[in-house]
Amino acid sequence: MPRKPTNIIYSADEKPPLSTLLILGVQHATLALLFIVYPLVAAVEAGLSFDDTQVFITSCIIFMGLATLLECLPKRGAGMLLVQIPNMAHMPLAVQSLAAGGPALYAGMSLIAAVSQLTLSRFMGALRSVFPPEVCGVAVTMLGVALADPALRRAFGISGEITPDLDLRYALVSTVTLVIIIALAIFSRGMLRLFAVAIGAAVGWVMAAQLGVAPEPSPSFATLPYVDLPRLGWPGISFFSWALIPAAIITGVLSAVDMVGTVVSMQRMDDADWRRADLDQAGRAIQANTLADMGTAVTGGFASASSSAAVGVAFATGTTAWRVGAVSGLLIILAAFSPRLIGVLTIIPAPVIGAILIYAAAFLTVAGMELILSRRLSDRRIFTVGLAILTGIAVAILPDLVRLTPDWAQPILESPLSIATAVAIVLNLIFRIGIRQEATRAVTAEENPFTVATEFLEHQGDLWGARRDVIAAAIPVVAEGVEMLLDTGVAPGKLEMRAHFDEENFDVALIYEGEPIAIPTHRPSPEDLLGDAQAVARFVGYMLSKRADKLNVGTDGTRQKLTLRFEH
């Protein structure tokens, strides 16, 4: 079981009290439903009728809730707090498909995107080398950067071009909301911290209403029923637009990468001793999302994706319990039965939403940096991370560059998250060329074992991107083993250090000509230190077996081999 961090009140498998479950579930469900603005914008851009828009939104909400339930359930899904929201990456595909062929074409393209996700999830284990922590860290960091634009626009009330006459009332509401959330998340305990986001949002909403920056309900709002049966449809399925198929495939791949980034963020938050991404868990999350997206497609809705904003809320509340997500999923489904409730969510003040998104963006940016710096960075890895992040930032601050590219490429290049992650993956694969996963170093009796072990293992750790703490733990153990073999004469005159790294384990083998060592299973007596060289070697070997995660004794041809394993 992972060790719970000190800032987490309820971890993934813990069961919060029922009242806490309900209130936290409402927080997450409310935030998720706010993002129905994405399919609304897509529907308006594509010119959908009122009836088609109702089906479009309702199907999205129902399957968004079902996807959240599937994601959160242990074994069937990822078993972690993953709340779904409408998938922003689908907006370009939705607008183009709906405009070119209506709901039927978008349904077909959505199915292709879902199959792309599902196909990628089948190879998650084999993709471990494609998604080392620094690549996952770039994805998580750019999740935060991608949230910055919508967050700041809402916080300052900017709807189009930035002008000098900004309405500072928006900034005031957003600042107060953000300060309350941060203050409660950092300085409070118990219930106040758990409901930091809800309290901050409530105060911000009241303040926005008093200052006159809260939106007014539309005239049709009063006619919306409180309870009504949701409307789903059968749009048909069309695949006739070959020009959109590549965009659909890429959209599916980008959605899978986004899911990996969110899952890694939750894993890192929930485990104080986090070492590597559990890509099998990420694969289950992608599969659950894929099933929901297929259901959305055939009922005429908009696809969903994991919410990075929900990660920030989980951090603020100190709760990553999957049961909170399950409650949130049920509430999202129930919301589809209340048109009036959905109408209320559309009038939450923009600066309140902006404050919540700023909090989430700040957390994700720092969490991504932590992931990047959890490994030793060689020059290759420094350029992998640096160039990838710079590319993503360039897309964010210079969108005009993207508009100069062909129309088919713009949906791919306009997302800072997508382009930065893609660059990181490509550079990681390129820079792996020429790096062997095994390296050797001869050591003689005249050399200082600690100096040799430090220089050799730190150099290889940099090249391989091994974790800093693993290399630091391995150096004194390996140095002690080298010193024992050479000083006792078990290895006469010299030996060979052979290091091997495979993302799962960091192994260092000490290979020498001489007699094998029998490692005792029980602690030798102190008198053994006064015995012959073999007795001393057995004593030291026993101590090494306790300091390494595993010690194996074998042979390498005619030579003896002592392998020290350090789990990575």
Side-chain angles (χ1 to χ4, degrees):
M1 294 293 293
R3 184 167 63 88
K4 184 169 72 173
T6 56
N7 65 315
I8 296 298
I9 301 172
Y10 299 108
S11 62
D13 293 321
E14 291 183 312
K15 185 177 181 181
L18 180 59
S19 59
T20 302
L21 274 176
L22 290 174
I23 297 177
L24 292 180
V26 169
Q27 281 188 162
H28 280 284
T30 302
L31 182 60
L33 289 168
L34 292 175
F35 288 94
I36 59 172
V37 65
Y38 294 151
L40 279 172
V41 169
V44 171
E45 290 290 326
L48 290 187
S49 66
F50 177 79
D51 288 341
D52 285 341
T53 300
Q54 288 291 96
V55 171
F56 196 56
I57 300 300
T58 303
S59 173
C60 175
I61 291 174
I62 290 177
F63 283 95
M64 193 168 77
L66 288 173
T68 300
L69 276 174
L70 289 174
E71 298 283 13
C72 296
L73 293 177
K75 296 182 181 179
R76 297 288 182 183
M80 59 169 46
L81 178 54
L82 293 175
V83 180
Q84 298 291 104
I85 61 172
N87 189 349
M88 187 170 60
H90 262 253
M91 282 192 66
L93 181 66
V95 171
Q96 294 178 55
S97 301
L98 291 170
L105 181 58
Y106 177 57
M109 295 302 104
S110 292
L111 286 176
I112 292 175
V115 171
S116 301
Q117 285 191 69
L118 186 62
T119 302
L120 190 64
S121 72
R122 299 293 183 180
F123 300 98
M124 295 306 290
L127 292 176
R128 187 174 298 279
S129 61
V130 178
F131 291 102
E134 63 268 21
V135 172
C136 292
V138 167
V140 174
T141 298
M142 296 312 296
L143 278 173
V145 172
L147 281 179
D149 180 71
L152 294 173
R153 285 186 174 277
R154 287 175 171 86
F156 288 97
I158 301 170
S159 56
E161 295 293 326
I162 300 176
T163 59
D165 56 337
L166 287 175
D167 191 338
L168 296 182
R169 293 176 299 171
Y170 285 88
L172 180 60
V173 172
S174 183
T175 300
V176 171
T177 303
L178 182 61
V179 167
I180 291 174
I181 294 173
I182 293 174
L184 292 176
I186 295 175
F187 299 111
S188 67
R189 294 291 182 270
M191 300 298 285
L192 283 178
R193 183 185 176 193
L194 287 173
F195 309 134
V197 175
I199 294 170
V203 173
W205 197 334
V206 172
M207 188 175 179
Q210 294 295 320
L211 293 177
V213 295
E216 294 292 333
S218 64
S220 61
F221 177 79
T223 65
L224 293 173
Y226 285 97
V227 179
D228 196 8
L229 290 175
R231 296 179 58 191
L232 297 177
W234 165 247
I237 299 175
S238 173
F239 301 102
F240 77 86
S241 180
W242 292 102
L244 288 175
I245 289 179
I249 294 173
I250 292 172
T251 299
V253 172
L254 296 180
S255 298
V257 171
D258 177 62
M259 179 68 78
V260 171
T262 308
V263 169
V264 170
S265 298
M266 292 301 298
Q267 290 174 353
R268 179 70 179 83
M269 191 193 312
D270 201 49
D271 186 358
D273 300 317
W274 186 87
R275 293 187 174 186
R276 68 181 75 89
D278 183 349
L279 293 181
D280 291 335
Q281 189 175 37
R284 294 195 301 274
I286 293 172
Q287 291 166 15
N289 183 64
T290 298
L291 292 175
D293 280 357
M294 289 179 173
T296 306
V298 299
T299 55
F302 188 85
S304 64
S306 58
S307 169
S308 53
V311 179
V313 174
F315 178 76
T317 60
T319 301
T320 58
W322 66 262
R323 290 175 175 84
V324 172
V327 171
S328 176
L330 289 172
L331 292 174
I332 291 172
I333 294 172
L334 289 176
F337 290 81
S338 178
R340 179 67 68 93
L341 175 60
I342 295 173
V344 169
L345 293 172
T346 63
I347 60 173
I348 290 181
V352 173
I353 302 172
I356 297 172
L357 294 181
I358 288 173
Y359 185 95
F363 167 75
L364 289 168
T365 302
V366 176
M369 293 177 181
E370 280 190 326
L371 281 177
I372 292 169
L373 296 176
S374 67
R375 296 287 189 101
R376 301 182 66 89
L377 294 178
S378 63
D379 289 343
R380 301 181 185 221
R381 281 178 160 74
I382 288 172
F383 283 110
T384 297
V385 172
L387 292 175
I389 291 179
L390 283 174
T391 304
I393 292 176
V395 169
I397 64 178
L398 297 173
D400 291 340
L401 289 177
V402 177
R403 299 190 187 102
L404 297 177
T405 62
D407 291 342
W408 62 267
Q410 290 183 17
I412 306 167
L413 300 176
E414 66 184 3
S415 167
L417 166 65
S418 303
I419 192 66
T421 306
V423 169
I425 290 172
V426 171
L427 290 179
N428 174 59
L429 294 176
I430 292 174
F431 288 155
R432 289 172 66 90
I433 297 173
I435 296 179
R436 296 178 300 166
Q437 294 305 98
E438 192 169 89
T440 60
R441 166 69 155 88
V443 188
T444 64
E446 289 75 26
E447 294 179 285
N448 185 310
F450 185 82
T451 302
V452 172
T454 300
E455 293 175 351
F456 177 63
L457 297 183
E458 284 189 345
H459 174 71
Q460 293 305 135
D462 286 343
L463 281 179
W464 294 331
R467 285 174 47 218
R468 297 175 184 273
D469 57 326
V470 172
I471 297 299
I475 287 172
V477 180
V478 172
E480 188 176 335
V482 172
E483 185 177 37
M484 175 269 292
L485 291 172
L486 292 175
D487 286 358
T488 59
V490 173
K494 64 178 181 179
L495 58 78
E496 177 186 300
M497 276 193 300
R498 181 183 298 169
H500 176 82
F501 180 63
D502 63 2
E503 288 290 339
E504 295 285 344
N505 297 293
F506 186 80
D507 295 338
V508 182
L510 306 179
I511 304 171
Y512 62 95
E513 300 280 356
E515 297 296 322
I517 301 174
I519 306 297
T521 56
H522 299 287
R523 181 184 179 91
S525 65
E527 288 75 17
D528 285 336
L529 288 174
L530 303 175
D532 59 12
Q534 280 288 337
V536 174
R538 285 194 296 270
F539 186 93
V540 178
Y542 172 81
M543 299 305 295
L544 293 177
S545 70
K546 298 304 178 185
R547 297 177 63 188
D549 291 309
K550 190 176 183 181
L551 187 148
N552 289 323
V553 177
T555 59
D556 182 65
T558 60
R559 298 185 296 174
Q560 307 303 322
K561 183 178 180 181
L562 188 70
T563 303
L564 299 162
R565 167 159 291 182
F566 303 90
E567 293 180 359
H568 196 267

